[in-house]
Amino acid sequence: MVGAIDMLAGHDPEAMSRSPGLRHRHYAPRARVLLVAPGEAAALGGPTVAVMSQQPRPPGFVGEWKVMPSAMEGYAQALFAALRELDAPEVETIVVETVPEVGLGRAIADRLRRASER
């Protein structure tokens, strides 16, 4: 019988494939995900760009803009729905302004990095 420690150590690949938290890669949109520092997304607009930010859409910005909740709990709950919403056929790049990696922000940042991997 394979124990929990054995499964985490990689001794039961079938069990690991059923556990999403143990996989290296999570949901990633079709569009390229580009992570930038807060405040940098506004300069990267264009007709094939979508932005996920905690800041309001700046005047004159060209492209889609999704305002995310400022509370990390709300951000975490809205994260994957927002990525799916922004991953429209005409969007080539989703620019995501990063969140502070404190508390729940660490898990959010990890999911964003995984979504940006190609």
Side-chain angles (χ1 to χ4, degrees):
M1 180 172 174
V2 177
I5 299 297
D6 292 327
M7 287 189 288
L8 291 175
H11 297 282
D12 187 354
E14 182 181 331
M16 287 183 64
S17 68
R18 292 189 309 258
S19 300
L22 298 177
R23 285 187 232 151
H24 177 68
R25 188 150 179 190
H26 285 252
Y27 167 74
R30 174 204 48 79
R32 176 178 145 228
V33 175
L34 176 63
L35 303 179
V36 299
E40 292 183 0
L44 302 173
T48 62
V49 174
V51 170
M52 187 184 318
S53 173
Q54 292 178 295
Q55 303 302 313
R57 180 189 184 110
F61 178 81
V62 176
E64 295 294 318
W65 190 282
K66 175 77 174 174
V67 177
M68 297 298 287
S70 58
M72 290 295 101
E73 293 82 9
Y75 195 112
Q77 291 173 351
L79 176 60
F80 291 111
L83 285 172
R84 286 184 184 100
E85 176 185 330
L86 295 174
D87 195 24
E90 66 276 7
V91 172
E92 294 176 5
T93 304
I94 300 172
V95 178
V96 181
E97 292 186 338
T98 57
V99 298
E101 293 194 39
V102 177
L104 186 55
R106 283 193 304 260
I108 294 169
D110 176 66
R111 295 308 181 260
L112 290 172
R113 277 191 295 276
R114 290 175 190 229
S116 70
E117 293 174 353
R118 286 210 171 232

